[in-house]
Amino acid sequence: MGHPTIYPTGVTVYNPDKAYNGYTVAAPMGKCPMLIGMNGQELRFWEGVPSTHCKMLPGGNIMAQCGLRDPRYGYQDSMELAQIDWDGKVVWRFDRGEFIEDPGYPGRWMARTHHDFQREGNPVGYYAPGMNARADGGNSLMLAHRNLHCKNISDQLLVDDIVYEVNWKGEIIWEWVCSDHFEEMGFSAEARAALFRDPNNVQRGKLGGKHGVAPDVGDWMHINSLSVLGPNKWHDAGDQRFNPSNLIMDGRETGIIFIIDKKTGKIVWQVGPDYNATSALQELGWIIGQHHAHMIPRGLPGEGNILVYDNGGWSGYGAPNPASPNGVKYAQRDYSRVLEFDPTTLKIVWQYTPAEAGFMMPLDANRFYSPFISAAQRLPNGNTLITEGSTGRVFEVTAEHELVWEWKNPYKMEVALRMFAVYRAYRVPFEWVPQLEAPKPVAIAPLDVSTFRVPGAAPRGAMSTVKVDGGFNYDGPKK
């Protein structure tokens, strides 16, 4: 599909009567965290915070993964996780995950955090009524990396996913290691063989960033989301799989979404990796390359259902096929879906796909498509805030799929992929930032692209018309 060379940035659509009005916090990749008003006002930058993922805490604080390890030696490793107040003061930080001695650098402690984190008090890291993340203490959950060998996965070096729980003093009080639970994940013989041969080796993927080199490790699982279930109706009804303390995660490279028991660490609920395994999974459809799988918190419309940005693109391990001769990234699809589904029946409750966006399927399917990063947030009024990450587009739709707010990131990455990408964005209520007076809303009607012209361009319509005698239409035989 062709793309225009000229397009607007900032807020392009805003319906104050139908949108959930608040602030939007995001960290465009290659830019510092920023706070955005509903009309696109860039209200606050936290300069000097190199981060691709930030969240807002009540009171104007942010949490962010800060500082990227040299990509020759660490894959997507952040040096620390930090909490920073409105005035730029570092309130809390954690870096004591592992002592690292990279060639050419002094030895130092690093968190090696990546992708996601949560602060005690809120299960998912975005606004939910009555569940505010603590800004003055409490424990933090975070995803981190650890290099290791695991012979039942592959004979190659792996970069594995670890979950840390860290107290306010910066002490690790609980951890979970993903590779310890490989045998619980239900990979087929074909998938295991593909994974053993090539556990998504980062170096062969040439994903090394500014140096053009990457560490020689297998990013076999690539967990990109981590949250707590929180109080929910399933557990209230007696289903112990959904204990409020349990954790939900998803593995982008395996196509798996899973819940672990916090006490035992065992997987107690899972979809994937094989979406042909049951009729319910077949009806749900293949979830590919997904991000931000979480349970909608209590107090929000759809509470208890799973919300996920199903990217499409490529992921999974299986039998070799023409699109994947080695069986790695063997499931592929060139459009995205946002899915809300019941975790007990796997029935889709709500979705946003190219069809709901108004595009012709399958010809224009890839007009809603981000094959990596991205997110979805359920808002208190029933709307959904969607981050179409690779395009840098954040937009809000109603339950009826009407577009009521849209923002296009204006900041281009200066290195690496040279994109306008945004990993995730979140909407927070005005009262979370008491330092600001809520901006007055000004509606922005969608442009009529059929009549819009840039200055100097001729308007639509013929300057003169002539009618051709008789014409050439075939109207059928004369009677």
Side-chain angles (χ1 to χ4, degrees):
M1 182 186 73
H3 295 275
T5 58
I6 299 171
Y7 47 86
T9 61
V11 173
T12 59
V13 175
Y14 175 33
N15 184 334
D17 295 328
K18 292 188 176 182
Y20 175 73
N21 296 294
Y23 299 117
T24 301
V25 61
M29 297 181 74
K31 185 71 176 173
C32 63
M34 57 193 295
L35 191 68
I36 305 161
M38 294 300 292
N39 284 90
Q41 307 96 322
E42 296 175 2
L43 299 165
R44 194 73 160 185
F45 284 9
W46 281 264
E47 290 188 358
V49 181
S51 178
T52 58
H53 189 200
C54 66
K55 298 182 179 184
M56 191 129 234
L57 306 177
N61 285 236
I62 62 166
M63 285 187 72
Q65 292 171 337
C66 300
L68 186 66
R69 184 182 178 190
D70 187 324
R72 290 175 296 180
Y73 309 120
Y75 180 55
Q76 299 183 337
D77 288 355
S78 293
M79 293 183 181
E80 58 185 289
L81 179 65
Q83 177 182 331
I84 305 156
D85 72 11
W86 182 255
D87 297 316
K89 178 183 177 182
V90 177
V91 177
W92 177 89
R93 67 201 321 160
F94 170 76
D95 65 358
R96 309 290 284 189
E98 184 177 348
F99 191 80
I100 300 294
E101 296 180 283
D102 289 330
Y105 291 88
R108 64 157 291 174
W109 283 94
M110 291 186 192
R112 297 193 68 186
T113 52
H114 66 93
H115 285 93
D116 212 352
F117 50 89
Q118 309 293 350
R119 172 60 60 75
E120 182 181 341
N122 182 291
V124 295
Y126 64 70
Y127 174 71
M131 289 189 279
N132 289 342
R134 294 186 60 183
D136 59 351
N139 295 346
S140 298
L141 285 165
M142 64 198 75
L143 285 167
H145 278 149
R146 182 180 297 167
N147 293 5
L148 51 75
H149 284 91
C150 186
K151 295 298 185 181
N152 58 335
I153 298 176
S154 176
D155 58 2
Q156 300 178 40
L157 181 66
L158 305 176
V159 57
D160 202 17
D161 293 301
I162 312 296
V163 179
Y164 292 136
E165 184 173 9
V166 177
N167 65 21
W168 187 252
K169 296 179 181 179
E171 300 165 334
I172 297 172
I173 59 174
W174 180 86
E175 73 173 39
W176 180 86
V177 181
C178 186
S179 59
D180 288 348
H181 302 274
F182 174 72
E183 299 296 340
E184 301 172 41
M185 295 180 183
F187 291 104
S188 67
E190 293 90 345
R192 291 179 70 121
L195 182 50
F196 190 89
R197 290 191 302 268
D198 183 0
N200 189 40
N201 188 281
V202 175
Q203 189 177 62
R204 283 193 284 276
K206 306 299 182 187
L207 298 173
K210 64 180 180 179
H211 298 284
V213 182
D216 189 11
V217 292
D219 183 28
W220 72 280
M221 186 71 169
H222 195 95
I223 296 177
N224 61 47
S225 67
L226 162 70
S227 61
V228 184
L229 296 185
N232 62 85
K233 60 186 178 182
W234 316 116
H235 184 258
D236 291 346
D239 195 328
Q240 294 303 313
R241 297 175 299 171
F242 304 110
N243 187 293
S245 67
N246 288 353
L247 308 181
I248 180 170
M249 292 175 264
D250 75 65
R252 185 227 187 281
E253 293 300 329
T254 59
I256 296 174
I257 303 172
F258 62 103
I259 294 172
I260 67 165
D261 185 300
K262 178 74 183 309
K263 293 181 179 179
T264 67
K266 293 185 178 299
I267 296 172
V268 294
W269 176 95
Q270 178 178 320
V271 295
D274 180 5
Y275 289 86
N276 285 329
T278 67
S279 58
L281 285 168
Q282 291 170 13
E283 188 173 346
L284 179 64
W286 280 78
I287 293 176
I288 301 172
Q290 76 283 0
H291 282 74
H292 201 203
H294 62 279
M295 181 172 281
I296 299 172
R298 174 163 285 173
L300 296 176
E303 62 178 71
N305 292 331
I306 304 300
L307 188 64
V308 60
Y309 191 104
D310 175 15
N311 294 70
W314 48 87
S315 73
Y317 304 91
N321 61 64
S324 175
N326 65 351
V328 178
K329 306 182 192 302
Y330 88 120
Q332 302 186 18
R333 188 185 68 238
D334 291 334
Y335 64 88
S336 298
R337 307 186 297 170
V338 175
L339 299 178
E340 175 191 345
F341 65 92
D342 182 319
T344 63
T345 66
L346 307 187
K347 295 288 187 182
I348 295 174
V349 176
W350 183 87
Q351 65 180 0
Y352 187 86
T353 75
E356 285 76 25
F359 302 133
M360 183 182 295
M361 297 283 284
L363 298 180
D364 287 335
N366 62 2
R367 291 184 66 185
F368 174 51
Y369 183 34
S370 174
F372 52 93
I373 55 180
S374 308
Q377 173 189 352
R378 181 54 47 83
L379 298 168
N381 62 354
N383 292 355
T384 303
L385 186 74
I386 299 171
T387 305
E388 189 182 353
S390 64
T391 66
R393 177 178 175 241
V394 182
F395 61 101
E396 179 182 346
V397 296
T398 67
E400 295 74 35
H401 309 108
E402 179 184 355
L403 179 68
V404 295
W405 187 83
E406 180 182 58
W407 176 77
K408 183 70 172 66
N409 173 29
Y411 293 101
K412 188 175 184 179
M413 295 176 67
E414 296 300 324
V415 295
L417 300 177
R418 299 189 179 277
M419 304 173 71
F420 294 85
V422 174
Y423 172 65
R424 282 192 206 170
Y426 301 94
R427 180 73 47 76
V428 301
F430 290 129
E431 56 267 26
W432 275 25
V433 190
Q435 296 87 350
L436 294 178
E437 182 179 350
K440 293 182 179 180
V442 178
I444 302 174
L447 291 172
D448 183 348
V449 295
S450 67
T451 59
F452 175 77
R453 297 291 186 274
V454 298
R460 177 181 177 180
M463 297 181 67
S464 65
T465 303
V466 61
K467 184 174 178 62
V468 179
D469 290 342
F472 298 95
N473 291 326
Y474 177 69
D475 297 324
K478 296 184 182 296
K479 296 182 180 179

